[in-house]
Amino acid sequence: MKLTYHRGTIVIKGDYSVPNTKWDARSGCYRSQALHYRDIVEYLQNSGVRYEDNVLDLIPCPELSCNVQLREYQEKALERWLQQKRGVVVMPTGSGKTILALKIIEKINAPALIVVPTLDLVRQWKEELRRFITPIGEYTGEHKDLQPLTVSTYDSAYIYAETLGNRFKLVIFDEVHHLPSGGYQQIAEMFASPFRLGLTATYERDDGLHEKIPRLIGGKVYEIHVDDLAGKYLSSYETRKILVALTDDEQRDYEQYHDTFKKYLASRHITLRSPDDFTKIVMRSGYDPEAREAILARNKAERIAYNSRMKIKKIEELLNRENRTIIFTRYNDMVYEISKRFFIPCITYRTVSDEREEIFRKFKEGAYPALASSQVLDEGIDVPEANIGIIVSGTGSNRAYIQRLGRLLRPRENKLAVLYELVTKDTKEIRTSYRRGT
Amino acid sequence: MLPKELLMVWKRKGTIRPRYLSDMTIAGEIIQVFTQYQGKKYKEILMQLEGMEGDDFKLVRGLGTLLERRCRFQSGSEVQGKEVRFFLFDKGFVKTLEERNHLLDEASLQFHIPTEQVEEAMFSDLEEEQILVEFIPPAPEELVRWYNLSLTQTLLFDALELTFKVDSNYQQVFRYVKYLGLMYEINGEIKVTGPASLFKKNRKYGTALAKLLPFIMNAKRWRVQAKIETEVGGEPRILDFSLDSTNNVFLPTSVDSAVHFDSEVEARFYRDFTALNLGWELVREPDIVKAGHYVVIPDFGFYKNGLKHYLEVVGFWTPEYLRKKIAKLKEAEANITVAVNETLECKKEDFTGDVIFYKNKIPVMSIVKILREIEEKQIEKELCSLKEVSLSGDVVSIQEKARELHVSPATLTRMEIPGYHVIGERFVSQTFLEKVREELRPFQEYPKVEEILNGHQLSMLALDSMGYRVIWDGLHPTKVVEKKRDTKSV
């Protein structure tokens, strides 16, 4: 038997039948998804079949060691994961997922690829990985540098899965709830890496797709909640909802746009029961001009509610130099508006990485007491020392909400962390916010 | 290729087909917008286009997206947006409006701009605040062909497999199948899939299949069929797409791709540059340039009317390679523009000559700017040495006259020659134009008009100078009418 890797698949030559493989008439051989590499090898070993294994072509790797101390719950998570060397660890943001990952890399002591959702996280992981005395690689749209420890994005890992899939023994998926969406699961399928780790603060997805994760990298092996850690390892926090009224003009426009939308629904006999119903109207808008007009009107109404002028007023009241404040908004133009009004540095998905870095650094050093951002900070970016959060617009998504919260939960003594949520009075926005059950 | 959300399709009885464009009017109108909005902000163009969207917003945005690739934008404000905003940010934040105005005044002093302009300058480097400084308009027909190809490629993003038949160009097609990491089966026709297509239906190879398409179309006769995964009424479906060379769809006549490239970046540059049709001949790995004891073979050579320029693309990562390359380029005895991958740790000073930094693709329009300047220098030089040009006859070819005078044709068209008009590639005398104009007066039907023009060796372009306007029906000219009085004419 001979096993080789071919662009995301394992080619098996020999006359012994192996599970999870299929005959490929195009190339005259048996073939399997690279995902099954570990199972195939185990099967062949258990069956006592002699085979030649050329699948992995690992990047030459020095001895990996780093000096990190695990907390009690991290030790426990490590122990659980090591039993199978695959699976997902669920821990709140700020509880040291990265530290756990570093320890796991040290234990496996072999080339590892870390897959993360954003370029910010790439940068942050590279920073953390410096604790190993080895060059850290980056494989993204911007850099293509392969090293024993390399960080990549889901997008790049997807595009280059065929060529990267046999170079690493361990693959770590940060924010692993992204893995089942769209084509990303093919990353896991095209990688032959026998050892797999998933990390997230929010395992469950609204669409139920998390059920696919066990097949791709293994099931949940350890889980701990915010409430189990708050106080001891994380600073405690409280949330305060502030109701803000629309100005008269805004109220009038809001109602007018909202009416247009409602009339469209009535004219087509549509009732909105779930987010899916709304998606259907969006799809209709591709060919039905009236549907498009209705969607546009609804978006305008929403933006009025989200971006109400009175919220700017409220921000003015809440800003205080004694605090470290982060302002979250949903729309970019709102971020720019806040930035222009208060001269608060802003970070959006368009901020170039140099500038982002500079802003983060100055925020960390305390030179900037506040910063404003649209959704780019949603996931796991290390923004330490913030004790006040202001959500100017909620997205109504459970996950985004938890993670924004998580950002404020940094261990710091005697710190009272407060998350303000500015919600517009008498609009649908209240409902989005209530839906989370806060 | 377009963003997926701009794809427009018809779905009928299990088949799918892009909504191909055959009407040049809308293409012409959008080209017009870009032409007219040179010197204006990107966001103004977007607003203007939004106004034209109507029910066809995907079409308008799709055409706009393609045209943006022929644009060069530049930051409008003289002071760097970044400097201004960091100056403002460095004060922490302001709360009251008084504090705010005070800081605005400070910034105004610091950057020597009026207070009102500080806010404007703050984000002047944002994409939508940039100013369109150059746009190279395609002919409407060219845009339509390009758009239709892009639609087809975008449709293929969701292809599970592609089956094709060609009557020529086999070698190139199969080379690219291999290059793109695809696999094929031959069974009368050729079915292309990817390695992992074996296990489940797989859209991962859609992008590669889209890239393969132009090479298939390079054959004289071709046919493609594809299985497209899409949603119908919220449910996933697999629909059939087919297209062949006899179809009445406007597609690019040939995609020049006989050249082999080291990287996707270079291949893309070649495609984008040749699409602009600027009269520069683009040659891959042209001549050998001496550089000290070594030679350099630049990646690209540009040639036009005796002018010569080179482009070297530096997109590699290893430090030794880079050091050697820089040393060689410094000694090179020719004009070489270097395009450097932004992520390399290089500075402008490391190289001599022009340096352009790029991220994912080489900015074609920046190269065009450099070539323009080279041409401009030649024209200025020739204009100085050229005192007077005398013409005789009704119609004179600019090319021939230029050859006779040993100057470039562009220089000649710059000269004001009394009694003559520049029409396309010819000088035409005023008296002759007037004569033809009278001759045309009784006729309106285009075929007749064309016949008369052809008889005098004039092209359609002459109509404009004579004060006539062409009325189109889709891609076909039908009538010729007089322009309104206020437009300039003979």
Side-chain angles (χ1 to χ4, degrees), chain B residues 294 318-330:
Chain B
Y294 301 95
T318 60
E320 319 90 86
Y321 173 86
L322 199 60
R323 265 200 305 278
K324 273 190 201 158
K325 182 132 241 174
I326 290 174
K328 272 190 186 179
L329 285 172
K330 271 194 165 165

Side-chain angles (χ1 to χ4, degrees), chain A residues 331-378:
Chain A
Y331 295 113
N332 267 335
D333 48 2
M334 185 64 165
V335 180
Y336 289 122
E337 196 178 323
I338 291 169
S339 183
K340 279 182 175 175
R341 167 61 186 82
F342 301 108
F343 299 140
I344 288 176
C346 61
I347 291 176
T348 72
Y349 70 96
R350 282 152 55 184
T351 311
V352 295
S353 53
D354 285 0
E355 183 167 341
R356 205 179 321 218
E357 233 159 289
E358 186 172 349
I359 292 173
F360 274 136
R361 185 173 49 79
K362 289 184 173 167
F363 185 75
K364 282 172 192 169
E365 291 166 0
Y368 294 160
L371 66 85
S373 176
S374 50
Q375 283 173 321
V376 283
L377 296 186
D378 264 356

Side-chain angles (χ1 to χ4, degrees), chain B residues 112-326:
Chain B
H112 310 287
I113 48 173
T115 315
E116 316 80 75
Q117 281 177 24
V118 174
E119 239 183 281
E120 171 112 338
M122 200 172 159
F123 292 107
S124 59
D125 50 345
L126 281 185
E127 206 181 27
E128 64 261 30
E129 299 291 334
Q130 306 239 312
I131 287 169
L132 174 60
V133 288
E134 189 171 9
F135 168 62
I136 298 182
E141 187 184 323
E142 209 180 316
L143 178 59
V144 170
R145 291 181 189 279
W146 188 18
Y147 176 74
N148 287 339
L149 171 63
S150 299
L151 278 185
T152 318
Q153 288 183 296
T154 309
L155 178 76
L156 289 183
F157 288 169
D158 286 332
L160 304 173
E161 58 177 57
L162 179 85
T163 308
F164 72 89
K165 206 171 177 172
V166 286
D167 71 340
S168 53
N169 202 33
Y170 289 99
Q171 223 189 351
Q172 194 191 35
V173 173
F174 282 103
R175 193 166 66 220
Y176 270 85
V177 167
K178 199 165 175 239
Y179 179 74
L180 294 165
L182 298 166
M183 295 177 79
Y184 61 87
E185 297 156 79
I186 303 178
N187 194 352
E189 306 208 319
I190 300 141
K191 186 163 100 181
V192 188
T193 47
S197 307
L198 187 64
F199 310 109
K200 58 174 186 185
K201 57 188 176 58
N202 197 320
R203 282 192 282 186
K204 185 163 198 309
Y205 305 108
T207 320
L209 295 173
K211 285 181 186 167
L212 182 66
L213 182 70
F215 301 108
I216 295 172
M217 288 183 175
N218 264 358
K220 264 191 229 85
R221 285 188 301 164
W222 51 267
R223 188 161 99 102
V224 291
Q225 285 171 295
K227 298 273 181 209
I228 309 289
E229 189 177 43
T230 181
E231 279 195 358
V232 180
E235 282 177 21
R237 285 281 160 79
I238 296 169
L239 303 181
D240 288 312
F241 163 70
S242 64
L243 188 70
D244 61 60
S245 45
T246 63
N247 251 295
N248 234 350
V249 177
F250 292 105
L251 290 163
T253 38
S254 87
V255 188
D256 196 348
S257 44
V259 203
H260 184 73
F261 295 99
D262 288 349
S263 72
E264 180 67 22
V265 172
E266 287 170 29
R268 182 164 181 180
F269 174 75
Y270 188 88
R271 267 198 316 267
D272 290 353
F273 185 85
T274 43
L276 292 177
N277 259 331
L278 296 173
W280 284 88
E281 190 195 351
L282 181 60
V283 181
R284 165 97 182 114
E285 295 185 348
D287 335 297
I288 290 174
V289 173
K290 261 189 82 182
H293 295 298
Y294 301 95
V295 290
V296 182
I297 303 175
D299 293 311
F300 294 103
F302 304 85
Y303 302 89
K304 187 180 187 177
N305 297 320
L307 293 175
K308 190 158 72 172
H309 195 74
Y310 299 106
L311 173 68
E312 176 69 11
V313 183
V314 183
F316 259 99
W317 295 285
T318 60
E320 319 90 86
Y321 173 86
L322 199 60
R323 265 200 305 278
K324 273 190 201 158
K325 182 132 241 174
I326 290 174

Side-chain angles (χ1 to χ4, degrees), chain A residues 70-79 89 91-92 94-97 100 222 224 228-229 232-234 411:
Chain A
L70 295 190
R71 293 176 184 151
E72 203 182 308
Y73 61 90
Q74 291 165 326
E75 279 291 355
K76 200 141 195 176
L78 172 71
E79 211 176 282
V89 172
M91 290 202 291
S95 60
K97 281 181 294 177
L100 173 66
Y222 184 80
I224 192 162
D228 303 329
L229 299 171
K232 191 172 175 195
Y233 295 110
L234 301 170

Side-chain angles (χ1 to χ4, degrees), chain A residues 6-10 20-27 29-34 141-145 157-162 185-186 189-190 215 280 283 285-287 289 292 315-321 336 339-346 350 352 354-355 358-359 362 367-370, chain B residues 8 19 50 53-55 57-58 61 82 85-86 88-97 99-101 103-104 118-120 122-123 125-129 178-185 191 193-205 231-234 317 341 343-344 359-360:
Chain A
H6 177 232
R7 303 188 72 92
T9 65
I10 309 283
N20 290 319
T21 60
K22 246 181 128 173
W23 177 253
D24 189 344
R26 298 171 300 179
S27 47
C29 62
Y30 281 98
R31 198 183 282 273
S32 150
Q33 290 185 322
E142 300 186 347
H143 293 266
K144 308 270 183 308
D145 178 25
Y158 170 74
I159 295 170
Y160 299 104
E162 290 105 320
Q185 41 181 308
Q186 294 201 33
E189 287 170 351
M190 294 192 146
R215 183 180 81 90
K280 276 180 198 156
M283 284 176 57
S285 69
Y287 54 88
R292 181 166 144 77
I315 294 171
E316 187 182 335
E317 285 169 34
L318 293 174
L319 279 174
N320 181 335
R321 271 173 223 281
Y336 289 122
S339 183
K340 279 182 175 175
R341 167 61 186 82
F342 301 108
F343 299 140
I344 288 176
C346 61
R350 282 152 55 184
V352 295
D354 285 0
E355 183 167 341
E358 186 172 349
I359 292 173
K362 289 184 173 167
Y368 294 160
Chain B
M8 305 212 295
R19 295 202 202 183
E50 203 175 312
E53 278 175 12
D55 299 344
F57 73 101
K58 288 185 180 178
R61 281 190 208 171
K82 190 180 170 189
R85 61 179 176 271
F86 272 81
L88 296 168
F89 294 160
D90 278 343
K91 309 292 161 185
F93 55 77
V94 297
K95 285 184 80 163
T96 65
L97 287 175
E99 278 180 290
R100 187 171 185 275
N101 289 336
L103 186 49
L104 281 177
V118 174
E119 239 183 281
E120 171 112 338
M122 200 172 159
F123 292 107
D125 50 345
L126 281 185
E127 206 181 27
E128 64 261 30
E129 299 291 334
K178 199 165 175 239
Y179 179 74
L180 294 165
L182 298 166
M183 295 177 79
Y184 61 87
E185 297 156 79
K191 186 163 100 181
T193 47
S197 307
L198 187 64
F199 310 109
K200 58 174 186 185
K201 57 188 176 58
N202 197 320
R203 282 192 282 186
K204 185 163 198 309
Y205 305 108
E231 279 195 358
V232 180
W317 295 285
N341 188 328
T343 55
L344 298 173
K359 218 172 178 177
N360 301 315

